[in-house]
Amino acid sequence: MRAWSSSLWRDVPFGAIQLAIFEGLKTYIINSPDIVVDVDTLLAEALFGATGGAIGAFLTTPTDVVTIRILTQGTGVDEACDEQACTLPVGFVGMAKEVYAQSGAMGFLQGARARTLYWAPAIGIFLSCYCSIRQAAVTSSLFG
């Protein structure tokens, strides 16, 4: 529950970016007379999805760093205490300040490569499968 707001700051923009890029690429290619690509193929949708997933993952890495640090910090009960003092858990702003104090601006990009390489194929697979299932449902008149 303590990382709820930071998860929203990470996940909502991530979803919006990936979908906007996915749909934007499809629309751009459809409206470009010089580009002849069937945007509704499984491969095209996978590539558009992977592109959106990669860009979205990279751009939301800073909020992912803060969220993960909030989730892995001590609770202020046992694991955050030593013989000299206890540290209380901090929220989004406090953790962002802590990341910056410890690592500078580059600290917000820790894990960017791994996050990007994980989410690019995952979103490519997800969106291509979603579009294929949606198209099958539409052509089968499942939606009325």
Side-chain angles (χ1 to χ4, degrees):
M1 190 69 183
R2 63 181 168 197
W4 183 80
S5 64
S6 67
S7 294
L8 283 178
W9 282 107
R10 175 192 63 191
D11 297 342
V12 171
F14 177 49
I17 292 166
Q18 70 190 15
L19 288 173
I21 290 172
F22 174 79
E23 293 296 339
L25 286 171
K26 286 181 77 169
T27 301
Y28 176 78
I29 290 174
I30 288 169
N31 293 321
S32 297
D34 299 335
I35 303 173
V36 181
V37 173
D38 183 0
V39 297
D40 292 322
T41 65
L42 193 63
L43 178 60
E45 288 174 336
L47 291 173
F48 299 150
T51 302
I55 293 169
F58 180 78
L59 292 177
T60 57
T61 297
T63 52
D64 186 56
V65 169
V66 173
T67 299
I68 298 303
R69 295 274 304 266
I70 289 171
L71 290 171
T72 58
Q73 72 181 323
T75 61
V77 180
D78 293 328
E79 60 269 8
C81 297
D82 59 19
E83 291 137 14
Q84 303 189 358
C86 288
T87 56
L88 296 175
V90 294
F92 185 83
V93 173
M95 187 58 74
K97 288 179 181 179
E98 192 173 304
V99 169
Y100 185 77
Q102 291 176 357
S103 305
M106 292 306 293
F108 292 104
L109 293 177
Q110 292 174 342
R113 179 181 297 146
R115 179 172 166 75
T116 301
L117 292 175
Y118 173 83
W119 282 111
I123 299 304
I125 292 166
F126 168 73
L127 286 175
S128 61
C129 289
Y130 169 78
C131 289
S132 295
I133 292 168
R134 179 191 64 200
Q135 188 60 34
V138 168
T139 56
S140 300
S141 300
L142 291 178
F143 297 123

